[in-house]
Amino acid sequence: MGFIHLAGANLLLTTFASILCVCFAPTAAGPGIPEIKAYLNGVDTPNMFGATTMIVKIIGSIGAVSAGLDLGKEGPLVHIGSCIASLLGQGGPDNHRIKWRWLRYFNNDRDRRDLITCGAASGVCAAFRAPVGGVLFAFEEVATWWRSALLWRTFFSTAIVVVVLRTFIEICSSGGCGLFGKGGLIMFDVSTVTVTYHMMDIIPVVVIGIIGGVLGSLYNFFLHKILRLYNLINQKGKVHKLLLSLSVSLFTSACLYGLPFLVECTPCDSSLAESVCPTNEGSGNFKQFNCPDGHYNDLATLLLATNDDAVRNIFSTTTSTEYHPISLLIFFALYCILGLFTFGIAVPTGLFLPIILMGSAYGRMLGIAMKSYTSIDQGLFAVLGAASLMAGSMRMTVSLCVIFLELTNNLLLLPITMIVLLIAKTVGDSFNPSIYEIILHLKGLPFLDAHPEPWMRNLTVGELADAKLPVVTLRGIETVERIVEVLRNTTHNGFPVIVDGVVPPVGLAVGATEVHGLILRAHLVHVLKKKWFQREKRRTEEWEVREKFTWVELAEREGKIEEVAVTSEEMEMYVDLHPLTNTTPYTVMESMSVAKAMVLFRQLGLRHLLIVPKFVAAGVPPVVGILTRQDLIAYNILNAFPHLTKATSREKGN
């Protein structure tokens, strides 16, 4: 009956969370952090920051965490913070936007990107109650472009989060809010133990870092394989997604309930009050489970508690005999398996807490094994193990270090935590990419890495342009028919504008061709919608443009060519593109290396990069090609140039 109650409640909660994700907001499944990284890198991720996604993420993550699944709320909180920031910046959901005048300041790409960065930092701060760690997480992990103004904006956002959290913790300190008010701003306090370590203690610290890097890379490897399998299952339809979630939930419930029967009961410490050990009520240590009075089941204490309480239990200091090595080994193995099988199902999931639980378990086991060789407490070994596994899987260093310091409230751990994080990241990087990079690759998001591949130095952008279809250009004064034809037959978002017969400076041939600039697809659609046509072929005055278009309209990126109706008579008319063209687009010479162009593209946050010829002569087009994000993805380049694959393999071998 106990198992039926546990499994039934978990199945009900999982079904609720999964149906919300499958039927209403598929983008709410998963952590959302890879998609935030992609958006801040310049990739359009549709439906990721909408009101429906945010609501499903909030309710779904509550259901999924309550269902006892091996997942955390931290990743979803980062996504929720970004959704709130996006909705505030654009004045509400797409269907019911508030277009107040003061909101127009935020309704451009750069400020919306900054707001979402602040939202991500606020989400980390709310999850871990770590304001400085949230700022550093946004800087190190999610943001691609960073500047000083963004630094104080994210810091201001996390400061507000901490104030609000502290206020609610004070209000809820009487216990009226369930578990929320417990723990204060320091979630896993280990400040009560005196940290003493000597030169010989560096050896176990280095061992923890190496093991964390190896285990983190192994976790990434197996998770990659399982996510590919889940993609095949999820492609079969909504029913298969739901069945997969329910199967994982049932398996989790069976493990949580059945495994504690494998371990022996432990007698309670005589120094503890009778009301503390054992208990099956509420939250905390010493679950009695199947044990007689005066005894507790240490594995049930870890498995049948909230995730936060499980972490507090393993991090507990000066409790060297509280958990048996066999129980810790079972707990570690189970959470490795559940962590692999739970991530990827159709519910909001987070990676932080499952990895912390796995790392803390193996860290405490290592502390038990080395207790005769070191003076470091087992609880502190658990903290170092959690930090090493997170660095080995996620490959973060600075932000993780600060987050763990804010979580544990023990500055004396700083030196050895830094060593562990650096070693674990270095070891993990030698095997495979970080877990978020793997997810980005599986989702097919064109994410631009910070460092180009070495072989990109030997390839020029001119060669890259030659492998593509010829560039589509428009004239300065173009016919409506030509514009409609180009918009209907291509999916490009930008077109070079060419002007013939320009009177050149002294020394050049008469009738030269000029690259006037670049015009966006959205602006061409606005021109067709507004019917800004003229019967004769002439240049327009600046005041004519200002009368017809407002800057708010030109900032909008909505509208499709399929929604525009143009008559046959209008097809013969002309449009002057000069006033709507960006006359100062970024350009590169065709002899520039792809590596240098990629760095320029990423650091400036570009969407288009014009390639101009190195030598200008009669018959040579003024624009050789146009680079977009898709052209600079290493995978796409290798597909276009198969001979580079062999060269890349030789470089890796060397």
Side-chain angles (χ1 to χ4, degrees), residues 382-412:
V383 174
L384 296 176
S388 69
L389 192 58
M390 288 192 74
S393 177
M394 299 182 177
R395 313 294 158 77
M396 295 185 293
T397 52
V398 180
S399 58
L400 267 185
C401 185
V402 174
I403 286 173
F404 268 89
L405 288 180
E406 292 181 292
L407 279 174
T408 57
N409 193 30
N410 201 325
L411 275 173
L412 295 174

Side-chain angles (χ1 to χ4, degrees), residues 304-332:
L304 300 176
T306 64
N307 287 337
D308 287 355
D309 278 333
V311 174
R312 288 191 190 99
N313 293 342
I314 300 183
F315 281 7
S316 61
T317 54
T318 64
T319 54
S320 58
T321 60
E322 189 170 326
Y323 301 102
H324 297 294
I326 297 297
S327 299
L328 291 172
L329 181 61
I330 294 174
F331 180 84
F332 172 71

Side-chain angles (χ1 to χ4, degrees), residues 474-475 477-485 528 533 537 570-575 577:
L474 296 172
R475 302 289 176 183
I477 301 176
E478 192 60 88
T479 62
V480 175
E481 183 180 10
R482 168 66 176 164
I483 294 173
V484 172
E485 177 192 354
L528 297 178
F533 310 144
K537 195 174 183 179
E570 291 170 338
M571 287 285 195
E572 305 299 325
M573 296 184 180
Y574 297 93
V575 176
L577 301 179

Side-chain angles (χ1 to χ4, degrees), residues 220-238:
N220 292 358
F221 173 79
F222 287 114
L223 189 60
H224 182 212
K225 301 297 181 184
I226 290 174
L227 288 177
R228 290 179 64 181
L229 174 64
Y230 279 8
N231 284 342
L232 297 176
I233 297 173
N234 291 334
Q235 287 172 5
K236 294 182 178 180
K238 296 180 179 179

Side-chain angles (χ1 to χ4, degrees), residues 455-500:
W455 51 265
M456 289 183 178
R457 303 191 191 105
N458 303 322
L459 188 69
T460 65
V461 292
E463 293 172 318
L464 209 58
D466 291 339
K468 297 174 58 180
L469 295 173
V471 63
V472 179
T473 60
L474 296 172
R475 302 289 176 183
I477 301 176
E478 192 60 88
T479 62
V480 175
E481 183 180 10
R482 168 66 176 164
I483 294 173
V484 172
E485 177 192 354
V486 166
L487 292 178
R488 285 178 178 170
N489 296 331
T490 66
T491 57
H492 308 331
N493 283 313
F495 303 92
V497 177
I498 309 299
V499 180
D500 293 324

